[in-house]
Amino acid sequence: MELGIGMFGDVHIDPKTGKMQSAAQRTQEIIEEIKLMDEVGVDFFGMGEHHRIDYAVSSPEIILAAAATVTKNIKLGSAVSVISSADPVKLFQDFSTVDLLSNGRAEIMAGRGSFIESFPLFGYDLKDYAELFEEKLALLLRLNKQDTVTWSGKFRKPLINQEIFPRPVHGSLPIWVAVGGTTSSVIRAGKLGLPVMFAIIGGAIENFKPLFEMYQQAWEDNGHPMDNFQVGVHMHAFFGENGQEVADQYYPLYAAQMNRIGASRGWPPYQRSQYDFGRSIHGHLVVGDVNQSVENILHVIEMFGLTRFSAHMDVGSPNHNEMMKAIELYGTQIIPKVKEALK
């Protein structure tokens, strides 16, 4: 069982003035935060890819390369790399380089992404959304298995006996697929025998149970050994010493970010009742003190048979000092208690 942290690189926006933190300051803070994660025993870190003013990170691999030089044990991956609008060859080379810098700790998490800004930015048409993902994921998997590749597809020039360098430390990289609630994505990952990270970022967690069952069924039906079965969840989280205090302090930041995103998606204004339900044992938020968080994490692990839990901790960008305190609590108290209980 692995317990880690994911981030999207949200920049802090002053709730009173609307002033936005600089990307330079936020990226430097992120490196400090990853360094602390490594020191307190967090198992893995995932960095998101976004192309918006309210996120500081457009290239996870660059942040991860920097983090590789100040960490020793923590796994370093994307969360996610938007494979649909990326060049799989360059993506593989970049993460192979991170793998070399970190002595074999790099991972790729491929996904469609939760925003669409990268498509026009890199010259892709949204009408090809599904085809792009399928083709580019297939190419990435081929690159990961073969040193020399011959390949052709619809969206890039062919590769003919092309050698791909550098190679990762162990010859290949762990590649995960991130999914939301799309049935076809879940079944595809099961058929391919790829580990899946489910993003549970709203509603009751019980509603996701059929998707987990569908994934495992596809895995087994396609002959993949259960010894290799890996599945995780990504849930919004934040931690403090006093559960009610941290919940009350975090709510304005979280609600503001939900409303910023929701404004472009037609969502109604975010309500405190949604937040309070989200913090319950049935909800999608792990926001509270050590004991509350341990209880919620154990509940979701046991419900879905997880091998990995990712706490997405920078939604709305709490300030750096609060992030450092939350990371320390997670690594020194929550993770050990969860692992001890699972024994």
Side-chain angles (χ1 to χ4, degrees):
M1 182 68 211
E2 295 180 313
L3 292 101
I5 291 174
M7 292 185 184
F8 281 0
D10 300 40
V11 298
H12 184 75
I13 300 174
D14 189 297
K16 295 180 180 178
T17 66
K19 183 179 179 182
M20 193 171 289
Q21 178 188 32
S22 71
Q25 181 184 4
R26 184 67 196 119
T27 52
Q28 290 162 17
E29 290 174 353
I30 289 170
I31 298 303
E32 290 182 25
E33 290 160 8
I34 303 170
K35 185 173 184 291
L36 178 61
M37 293 175 207
D38 186 55
E39 291 168 353
V40 298
V42 175
D43 292 319
F44 67 89
F45 171 74
M47 186 76 250
E49 172 193 342
H50 294 86
H51 304 271
R52 297 163 52 97
I53 194 171
D54 47 346
Y55 295 99
V57 180
S58 61
S59 300
E61 51 269 46
I62 294 179
I63 294 293
L64 299 175
T69 66
V70 297
T71 57
K72 296 178 180 178
N73 300 304
I74 192 169
K75 293 180 179 179
L76 301 168
S78 51
V80 300
S81 295
V82 185
I83 186 70
S84 309
S85 56
D87 177 4
V89 176
K90 187 67 168 66
L91 187 71
F92 180 78
Q93 290 178 317
D94 288 347
F95 274 86
S96 292
T97 303
V98 175
D99 200 59
L100 299 179
L101 286 169
S102 64
N103 194 29
R105 292 185 280 128
E107 302 180 342
I108 297 174
M109 187 177 294
R112 299 168 186 257
S114 55
F115 296 93
I116 61 172
E117 287 83 0
S118 64
F119 287 83
L121 183 63
F122 296 116
Y124 292 101
D125 196 320
L126 278 171
K127 70 179 177 60
D128 299 320
Y129 189 82
E131 282 186 285
L132 281 164
F133 181 79
E134 290 182 21
E135 179 176 301
K136 293 193 174 196
L137 178 61
L139 175 55
L140 179 64
L141 296 175
R142 179 84 67 87
L143 297 166
N144 200 37
K145 290 179 179 177
Q146 300 175 2
D147 294 357
T148 303
V149 175
T150 295
W151 176 92
S152 64
K154 180 178 177 181
F155 297 104
R156 81 177 316 278
K157 294 290 186 180
L159 299 171
I160 301 173
N161 291 325
Q162 182 67 57
E163 294 180 291
I164 309 297
F165 300 113
R167 301 303 302 181
V169 171
H170 302 295
S172 63
L173 295 166
I175 296 178
W176 287 67
V177 172
V179 301
T182 308
T183 301
S184 59
S185 296
V186 171
I187 294 173
R188 181 192 301 111
K191 286 181 176 179
L192 293 171
L194 295 174
V196 161
M197 181 69 75
F198 286 85
I200 301 181
I201 55 175
I205 60 173
E206 290 89 347
N207 294 339
F208 284 78
K209 187 72 173 174
L211 288 173
F212 281 82
E213 294 170 349
M214 199 177 299
Y215 170 60
Q216 183 169 339
Q217 191 65 54
W219 179 284
E220 293 175 339
D221 287 349
N222 285 272
H224 303 298
M226 287 304 295
D227 287 349
N228 297 335
F229 187 75
Q230 297 182 79
V231 63
V233 297
H234 158 111
M235 296 172 68
H236 294 167
F238 204 69
F239 314 111
E241 293 182 351
N242 181 291
Q244 194 59 53
E245 283 182 11
V246 72
D248 292 342
Q249 290 168 3
Y250 185 46
Y251 173 72
L253 291 173
Y254 187 82
Q257 181 69 335
M258 291 298 100
N259 286 330
R260 275 191 292 271
I261 296 170
S264 63
R265 299 184 180 184
W267 296 351
Y270 191 76
Q271 303 294 326
R272 179 67 193 234
S273 58
Q274 293 173 262
Y275 182 75
D276 291 338
F277 173 78
R279 292 183 61 238
S280 75
I281 199 71
H282 302 289
H284 67 286
L285 295 171
V286 185
V287 176
D289 61 31
V290 169
N291 290 334
Q292 291 170 327
S293 301
V294 169
E295 181 184 6
N296 284 19
I297 292 169
L298 284 171
H299 178 67
V300 75
I301 289 171
E302 291 164 2
M303 175 176 286
F304 298 125
L306 302 181
T307 62
R308 180 175 278 202
F309 174 85
S310 178
H312 182 175
M313 284 180 56
D314 67 341
V315 181
S317 192
N319 73 52
H320 180 50
N321 289 336
E322 291 171 348
M323 286 289 295
M324 296 290 273
K325 289 176 184 176
I327 290 164
E328 185 173 7
L329 279 176
Y330 187 55
T332 62
Q333 296 190 48
I334 295 171
I335 289 177
K337 286 177 182 289
V338 169
K339 291 190 174 182
E340 181 62 28
L342 291 172
K343 288 180 181 178

